[in-house]
Amino acid sequence: MEKEQVLDKALSFDFGGMSRGEVSFLYDFCKGKMVLELGSMVGMSSFVIASVCESITCVDIWNDTFEHVTHRQREVYENLWTHGFKMVDMFQNNCKEFLESGKMKMV
């Protein structure tokens, strides 16, 4: 995929809190690197990074108890939860191709 296609797909995840400029920076910065990402949420940045890096290890607690988030974040998480969305499931769906290929690991 070309850069703009990667960015469009990642931004279509609708949840991740990053702007086009931020994911564009990650796309350019992470080319060919081994990356450790702390706080992967639903995989918006993970997807972009995996598109260009050598490998990526994604670390998150993917915990839907919401004990680890601030008040504002908690509202977002709880809204997703009440609509049947779980962070880990969303991440695995969004990044499926990279997880299956072994280029991406979840911790």
Side-chain angles (χ1 to χ4, degrees):
M1 262 191 273
E2 296 293 322
K3 179 178 180 177
E4 292 306 312
Q5 293 172 306
V6 169
L7 302 184
D8 288 344
K9 182 166 182 179
L11 292 168
S12 76
F13 298 164
D14 291 328
F15 185 77
M18 299 191 82
S19 69
R20 186 174 202 85
E22 290 167 326
V23 291
S24 178
F25 170 81
L26 290 174
Y27 183 97
D28 295 333
F29 184 77
C30 295
K31 284 182 183 174
K33 296 182 179 174
M34 293 175 62
V35 177
L36 172 63
E37 180 182 49
L38 305 177
S40 303
M41 295 183 73
V42 300
M44 179 182 284
S45 56
S46 312
F47 180 87
V48 171
I49 294 167
S51 297
V52 295
C53 73
E54 181 180 320
S55 65
I56 180 171
T57 300
C58 301
V59 180
D60 203 305
I61 60 174
W62 287 294
N63 181 336
D64 289 315
T65 64
F66 318 114
E67 297 168 354
H68 62 290
V69 295
T70 65
H71 176 71
R72 183 183 178 297
Q73 291 171 319
R74 183 168 299 183
E75 291 174 12
V76 173
Y77 278 69
E78 288 174 343
N79 185 41
L80 289 170
W81 177 260
T82 58
H83 290 92
F85 296 105
K86 294 184 179 177
M87 290 291 157
V88 69
D89 295 340
M90 293 171 74
F91 177 87
Q92 290 172 328
N93 182 59
N94 291 337
C95 297
K96 184 178 181 176
E97 65 189 275
F98 300 114
L99 291 165
E100 288 179 351
S101 73
K103 187 174 189 176
M104 179 185 286
K105 295 178 187 172
M106 291 174 65
V107 179

